[in-house]
Amino acid sequence: MWKAKRKAVCSALLASGLLTSSMLSLAADSEQLTTQSSKLSLENCHIDGIKEQIQCGTLTVPENYQAPSGQQIDLHFTVLSAIDNSNNKIPLMFLAGGPGQAATELSAMLRNRFYEVRKTHDIILVDQRGTGQSSQLKCHDEAFTAKSVYESLTFDFEVSEVQDCIAEFNQDLSQYNSENAIRDFDAVRAALGHDKINIYGGSYGTRAALIYMRMFPQSLNSVVLDSVAPLDMRIGLFGQSGARSYELLLSNCQAEESCQQAFPNLDEDYQKVFNQLVVKPVELTIAHPRLGTPTKLVIDVEKFVTTIQLQLYSLEGRSIMPLVINQAAQGNFMPFVGVLAAGDEKQPRGSVYSNLLMNIACNEDFPLIAEQDWQADANNGFARNISHRGVRLVCPLWPKYRPDASFYEPIRSDIPTLILSGKLDPVTPPENGERADQMLANSRHIVAEHLSHIVAVNDCGVGLVAKFIDELDLEGLDASCLAELPAETFMTSLNGNM
Amino acid sequence: MSAAFGQLRALIVKEFKEAFRDKRAMMVAFSMSLLAPVMIMVLSKTMIKELVETPPVYAEIVGAEYAPKLVKEFTDENILPLSESKEDDLRIWQERGIKITIPETYGQDMVEGNIIDVVLNADYSDKPSLAPIRRIKDVITDHARTIGYKRLVMRGVDVRILQPLNLVEQDRAQPSSNAMMISTMLGLYLLMGAFMSGLSIAIDSSAGERERNVLEMLLCQPVSTTKIVLAKLSCAASISILSIVLMLVVTSITVGFVDLSKIGATFSIDAGMFIALLALLIPVCILAAALQLFFSFQAKSFKEAQSTVTMLIMLPAFIPFILMFIDDRPLWLDWLPVAGQSIIIEDMFKGLAINWTAFAFTSVTTIALAAVLVMTLAQKLKSEKVVMALS
């Protein structure tokens, strides 16, 4: 049961772009947030996937913190109460990834997965402004709601469609940035009456956490950075890190006897399909994976590569990739279609709200990427420049705001910080964690040899988080259970294997 | 007035002195309040163990080499080959003799998509084998389902079509994580404690005093029988109230030794709840003492009192037990003594708002009933029949 759930959960955690930052960097220490409890409402509620009632809340905050009496927005958040509250332990706030995941949509998943934390700590989840139920950036543009994942191509949309979508927003886009998101989170903390909180950030959530450490250090008791996206990394430049993760897949397949026997030339298989699709996309008529009716399937090289790249984020996805690639090389694209089908949902719970992703990535990261950066990143043997195309198409069309230079400065802090990385990670490789570890005065970096994106995906990883926020003892933290996790294994036949 | 009160006070002091002189009676009185928390602790521990713990299971796995992935799933769930068991466990598990047989053709049948027979051989009538059997079956079903899903994905099928309906469950219960099993047990024990704790004291100060000829002496004094009965009542009721306070305090402590978070629950009694429980139970203690005195005085001898009164008193103490088996409770039960209190305690532990009208009404009816008993008894003590046990 848990296994089936975990699969869905892990795929939900794929933050497809990952990271962020923000604008209007004012001297943080001069900032005072005045929150009035009258703007706070809190009630018991039901949320999909949790049988018991949890607490749902709304906090009204200004859209622009520089104009506190201007336009107001409602932030939506949930609180998962600790099982045992008798010790009044400091709660944990979960900062979601993306940018663009709505944290409250992960409530059910976290309630199960962070059980060890929830035993004694409340868990607070806030929808980042622009996502979920916090003033979501909505538009009805077809470009962002694909008609069919089987037929549509990644880039068959018009520039005008993107512009029409942007025109539909009634928010001031320049306010939907990383720093304001942190002001929101800290306002929720204050409104709930907590002097200090622990924060856990995963993926883009780590960038949010780093900014939090800079803006409101006095609010933080401890920090966990899981799969780090430091401020000096650029969302969109994932060519090299993706290729690195793919190379590890190849070498791990060669290391496993059955995988090596079944797919001795896996990289050749991949390159063969890649080159074939560059020349001409595959067009077939298949039975629709869900409807069962004949439907048109088009696979171009972008669709092929981006789908595989997304599977590299999770062990479940990785376990079937060699087979999917090898079958495609033999002309059987049905396994690939099966993988596509798993993502055939308009806005699955916990997925990234792409408008906020674009708003942040196109303003906080894209402008800083020079042409030679793009070229250097494209010089790889996996996705080449394919992962760049979406961002490079859309970002020039996006309304512009710019953070100050100070926004990008490295963060110095002596708040106790646990840094976690998965060695197989295709977007936030362990070297990112290493850089963060060097910057921070009071931190420890732990690399999980056999995990991919996000380390707190199993009892061992979550146990580390729980123990750390309980004891704040970086030195004494025993991470041996991560080392004991088995190496990744692969499916080697269409019916599975022994 | 003050003289009258002084008389009553002197009587109460006398009753307490008598009560505390008899150490064994006191032991009996408080035994329940000490035993109940221990019972609660031991029972919860075993229940939690049954629910969540996965102690190692050792089974003979024949053909493990043919299905390494399945065996790894077993290992992950703490189901291990017999060869790995320790000396002292080995004999137990050999006797249980759970055997899993994996066929030689496993690998090939898997690739070809044939159904593979995995044999589980065990004694299904052996109770200790039941949990291991269930866990082994779960691993096999889960593993098979995972492979089945992957097979469909590989054929380009959207696996969600296997789940036409998704049941979204919404539990309207107040989000209280109080462990139901503990609060149920404690609720029962509290009411039983209220009824049983003062029993030995009440019997001793009625039937006992009569046999020791103390009662005659007392009745010769120029005091009203009502005061005598009230003094005896105060003493017996105080002992049960003390016993309940003790039970609540000791339970709070012993529950700390149970790791309830394993089942996602906690148990704590805060000051507000403590006071509410006490306010609710004090009338029950008074009624219990009144009933005990009433029936003890009816008994012919000390011995008879000990047997029959104990039996009689057990009856109301069982009301909460009976309530557990009544699903559709008629409304008037809320207002009855004992039943009302039992229902309110249940609600309190569920985190529901207390029905104050019912609270007040049951308390009043309980006290009224006790008052009627006291007055009747005071009346009866004026007759020789009762005093000399001649009836």
Side-chain angles (χ1 to χ4, degrees):
Chain A
M1 195 58 237
W2 164 230
K3 291 225 166 64
K5 256 192 233 150
R6 192 169 52 187
K7 185 170 157 48
V9 156
C10 292
S11 57
L13 258 193
L14 302 186
S16 55
L18 292 197
L19 302 189
T20 254
S21 39
S22 169
M23 65 161 291
L24 263 181
S25 188
L26 296 150
D29 48 358
S30 70
E31 279 198 85
Q32 286 299 320
L33 280 178
T34 49
T35 42
Q36 299 155 12
S37 52
S38 62
K39 299 174 177 175
L40 174 81
S41 72
L42 200 59
E43 58 183 10
N44 289 341
C45 67
H46 281 295
I47 198 161
D48 270 5
I50 302 178
K51 185 172 149 191
E52 293 76 15
Q53 295 190 71
I54 61 169
Q55 289 186 298
C56 291
T58 304
L59 181 71
T60 309
V61 294
E63 186 179 54
N64 180 349
Y65 279 92
Q66 266 51 59
S69 52
Q71 176 68 34
Q72 304 290 302
I73 57 175
D74 286 343
L75 298 173
H76 174 68
F77 64 91
T78 57
V79 179
L80 309 173
S81 301
I83 294 166
D84 178 359
N85 243 331
S86 55
N87 299 328
N88 288 324
K89 290 202 177 158
I90 298 172
L92 175 79
M93 187 183 278
F94 177 90
L95 310 185
Q101 268 187 315
T104 64
E105 293 177 10
L106 305 171
S107 300
M109 186 271 289
L110 277 169
R111 192 171 180 275
N112 285 329
R113 195 193 283 176
F114 275 43
Y115 188 84
E116 204 54 42
V117 175
R118 195 167 56 87
K119 275 185 180 179
T120 50
H121 301 266
D122 285 3
I123 298 178
I124 304 167
L125 302 138
V126 189
D127 279 352
Q128 184 171 348
R129 53 165 64 196
T131 73
Q133 296 173 59
S134 293
S135 185
Q136 188 197 129
L137 298 173
K138 269 192 218 153
C139 74
H140 302 88
D141 191 289
E142 282 304 303
F144 294 90
T145 51
K147 43 187 181 288
S148 145
V149 293
Y150 310 109
E151 200 177 346
S152 70
L153 290 176
T154 322
F155 299 125
D156 59 358
F157 61 85
E158 302 292 324
V159 165
S160 63
E161 287 176 330
V162 180
Q163 288 163 331
D164 290 349
C165 166
I166 294 166
E168 276 187 58
F169 301 141
N170 49 15
Q171 293 102 326
D172 171 2
L173 288 183
S174 70
Q175 297 304 322
Y176 288 75
N177 56 56
S178 297
E179 286 194 341
N180 273 351
I182 302 304
R183 291 186 184 98
D184 293 343
F185 297 161
D186 203 58
V188 171
R189 172 203 60 79
L192 289 173
H194 302 298
D195 289 341
K196 279 187 185 269
I197 50 171
N198 303 295
I199 52 175
Y200 166 97
S203 189
Y204 163 80
T206 61
R207 184 179 284 193
L210 287 162
I211 298 166
Y212 207 144
M213 290 162 90
R214 177 167 62 204
M215 292 173 74
F216 304 104
Q218 68 286 353
S219 304
L220 301 178
N221 178 57
S222 75
V223 180
V224 181
L225 305 176
D226 189 346
S227 305
V228 190
L231 286 148
D232 59 2
M233 97 169 245
R234 296 288 148 254
I235 302 176
L237 290 180
F238 295 136
Q240 294 296 353
S241 53
R244 179 189 154 280
S245 177
Y246 165 75
E247 301 287 342
L248 286 167
L249 180 86
L250 294 178
S251 60
N252 288 340
C253 174
Q254 293 309 301
E256 188 186 46
E257 193 189 346
S258 59
C259 192
Q260 195 274 329
Q261 280 176 4
F263 319 117
N265 308 310
L266 190 54
D267 188 40
E268 283 168 43
D269 290 344
Y270 172 79
Q271 304 302 346
K272 179 182 157 192
V273 180
F274 186 96
N275 294 324
Q276 173 200 336
L277 293 177
V278 169
V279 177
K280 185 172 172 293
V282 166
E283 289 197 27
L284 301 165
T285 301
I286 56 165
H288 190 289
R290 182 168 38 86
L291 302 170
T293 50
T295 189
K296 189 175 150 201
L297 168 74
V298 184
I299 303 172
D300 60 359
V301 72
E302 283 92 359
K303 196 186 270 188
F304 183 71
V305 171
T306 48
T307 303
I308 290 180
Q309 183 152 11
L310 207 54
Q311 296 303 312
L312 297 177
Y313 283 71
S314 70
L315 294 181
E316 285 78 3
R318 296 173 72 92
S319 71
I320 55 174
M321 272 314 100
L323 182 59
V324 169
I325 292 167
N326 173 264
Q327 287 291 317
Q330 296 175 47
N332 174 16
F333 282 91
M334 289 324 278
F336 181 80
V337 172
V339 174
L340 273 186
D344 179 22
E345 223 180 322
K346 204 166 169 184
Q347 181 82 40
R349 202 167 55 200
S351 64
V352 169
Y353 287 85
S354 53
N355 292 329
L356 183 81
L357 166 75
M358 287 299 172
N359 195 51
I360 285 180
C362 293
N363 283 295
E364 296 177 4
D365 292 79
F366 183 76
L368 280 82
I369 304 174
E371 188 54 42
Q372 65 260 35
D373 299 334
W374 291 114
Q375 299 211 348
D377 193 56
N379 183 18
N380 65 69
F382 173 59
R384 281 71 169 188
N385 68 351
I386 285 171
S387 59
H388 303 164
R389 293 182 188 173
V391 190
R392 299 197 75 173
L393 259 170
V394 176
C395 278
L397 308 170
W398 211 266
K400 295 178 177 44
Y401 65 84
R402 290 289 177 266
D404 281 0
S406 61
F407 173 79
Y408 299 100
E409 280 168 13
I411 283 137
R412 311 263 169 228
S413 166
D414 57 359
I415 300 166
T417 306
L418 174 65
I419 303 169
L420 303 168
S421 298
K423 188 183 164 189
L424 312 174
D425 195 323
V427 281
T428 53
E431 64 186 46
N432 290 7
E434 208 47 53
R435 284 210 304 281
D437 192 27
Q438 280 157 13
M439 270 186 328
L440 300 168
N442 189 3
S443 64
R444 177 176 165 194
H445 183 210
I446 299 172
V447 181
E449 191 72 14
H450 299 302
L451 290 179
S452 187
H453 192 55
I454 303 298
V455 174
V457 288
N458 54 31
D459 291 351
C460 167
V462 174
L464 286 180
V465 175
K467 207 164 165 52
F468 167 67
I469 62 175
D470 261 345
E471 301 171 5
L472 300 188
D473 177 13
L474 286 163
E475 291 307 308
L477 201 60
D478 175 14
S480 58
C481 65
L482 283 178
E484 285 161 16
L485 293 172
E488 54 177 346
T489 63
F490 303 98
M491 186 174 182
T492 54
S493 97
L494 291 175
N495 280 333
N497 46 307
M498 38 187 273
Chain B
M1 186 68 225
S2 70
F5 188 74
Q7 256 186 349
L8 181 61
R9 205 177 58 184
L11 279 168
I12 291 177
V13 170
K14 170 245 163 213
E15 290 295 341
F16 269 98
K17 272 188 181 160
E18 288 252 6
F20 278 93
R21 203 171 17 206
D22 185 353
K23 293 282 181 293
R24 265 181 307 181
M26 291 311 281
M27 291 261 294
V28 173
F30 291 119
S31 62
M32 176 129 191
S33 59
L34 293 172
L35 276 177
V38 174
M39 291 266 291
I40 288 175
M41 180 178 87
V42 172
L43 280 172
S44 332
K45 272 203 162 164
T46 40
M47 276 169 92
I48 289 173
K49 201 170 165 174
E50 299 251 312
L51 280 170
V52 292
E53 294 209 344
T54 48
V57 165
Y58 297 102
E60 189 188 347
I61 306 179
V62 180
E65 64 276 23
Y66 306 127
K69 285 190 177 173
L70 178 60
V71 172
K72 190 192 157 295
E73 296 282 340
F74 279 139
T75 314
D76 287 350
E77 294 296 324
N78 219 359
I79 297 164
L80 308 162
L82 206 50
S83 55
E84 288 187 29
S85 70
K86 296 192 177 57
E87 285 295 316
D88 40 354
D89 283 348
L90 185 62
R91 199 184 47 79
I92 298 171
W93 287 100
Q94 262 173 339
E95 232 163 79
R96 255 172 228 170
I98 298 175
K99 184 174 165 187
I100 303 165
T101 312
I102 297 165
E104 202 178 339
T105 53
Y106 185 95
Q108 195 184 344
D109 281 340
M110 181 66 78
V111 171
E112 289 174 10
N114 301 324
I115 295 180
I116 303 163
D117 291 334
V118 175
V119 183
L120 171 59
N121 178 296
D123 178 356
Y124 283 67
S125 70
D126 176 37
K127 192 177 163 290
S129 292
L130 289 181
I133 288 172
R134 179 178 48 82
R135 283 168 54 195
I136 292 169
K137 281 165 76 174
D138 283 351
V139 169
I140 293 172
T141 345
D142 280 355
H143 188 62
R145 191 188 296 117
T146 309
I147 295 170
Y149 276 170
K150 281 190 172 177
R151 286 176 174 183
L152 287 177
V153 169
M154 290 301 132
R155 285 157 180 73
V157 173
D158 187 338
V159 290
R160 281 169 298 193
I161 62 174
L162 293 175
Q163 195 192 12
L165 302 179
N166 174 40
L167 182 64
V168 177
E169 293 180 272
Q170 300 189 334
D171 180 354
R172 280 204 323 278
Q174 284 302 305
S176 135
S177 49
N178 258 343
M180 279 314 291
M181 56 182 187
I182 290 195
S183 48
T184 310
M185 280 192 272
L186 183 60
L188 293 174
Y189 282 130
L190 281 173
L191 282 160
M192 277 183 67
F195 266 97
M196 311 295 292
S197 301
L199 187 59
S200 51
I201 308 290
I203 292 174
D204 193 60
S205 73
S206 49
E209 280 193 0
R210 182 166 51 202
E211 275 188 17
R212 295 199 297 273
N213 297 329
V214 178
L215 189 64
E216 273 180 278
M217 296 272 295
L218 207 57
L219 289 168
C220 293
Q221 307 302 319
V223 286
S224 72
T225 48
T226 315
K227 279 185 193 156
I228 294 174
V229 175
L230 272 179
K232 292 187 184 307
L233 180 93
S234 316
C235 179
S238 303
I239 299 293
S240 10
I241 291 167
L242 258 177
S243 153
I244 279 169
V245 171
L246 197 62
M247 202 187 285
L248 285 171
V249 172
V250 178
T251 304
S252 296
I253 295 166
T254 54
V255 164
F257 294 105
V258 185
D259 186 5
L260 286 167
S261 64
K262 280 186 181 161
I263 52 163
T266 57
F267 189 81
S268 60
I269 300 170
D270 57 17
M273 192 182 237
F274 190 90
I275 291 164
L277 281 172
L278 219 51
L280 193 63
L281 288 166
I282 285 173
V284 180
C285 293
I286 293 170
L287 174 64
L291 280 168
Q292 286 154 0
L293 287 169
F294 187 83
F295 289 112
S296 306
F297 272 120
Q298 303 298 318
K300 294 233 179 335
S301 66
F302 184 72
K303 258 197 146 25
E304 189 195 332
Q306 274 188 316
S307 52
T308 51
V309 179
T310 310
M311 291 301 293
L312 278 169
I313 292 298
M314 289 291 262
L315 292 177
F318 272 108
I319 291 176
F321 275 107
I322 297 160
L323 281 180
M324 280 174 68
F325 299 101
I326 304 178
D327 284 341
D328 303 315
R329 295 175 191 160
L331 264 180
W332 49 263
L333 274 177
D334 285 11
W335 311 89
L336 280 191
V338 190
Q341 274 94 353
S342 171
I343 290 167
I344 291 170
I345 290 178
E346 206 177 301
D347 285 354
M348 243 190 251
F349 282 126
K350 275 187 193 163
L352 298 174
I354 299 173
N355 178 352
W356 290 107
T357 24
F359 190 112
F361 196 90
T362 38
S363 301
V364 169
T365 45
T366 311
I367 296 283
L369 193 56
V372 169
L373 284 168
V374 169
M375 287 192 290
T376 321
L377 194 53
Q379 209 49 49
K380 284 194 164 207
L381 280 183
K382 288 179 180 158
S383 105
E384 254 181 33
K385 271 187 186 172
V386 175
V387 179
M388 308 302 289
L390 300 170
S391 59

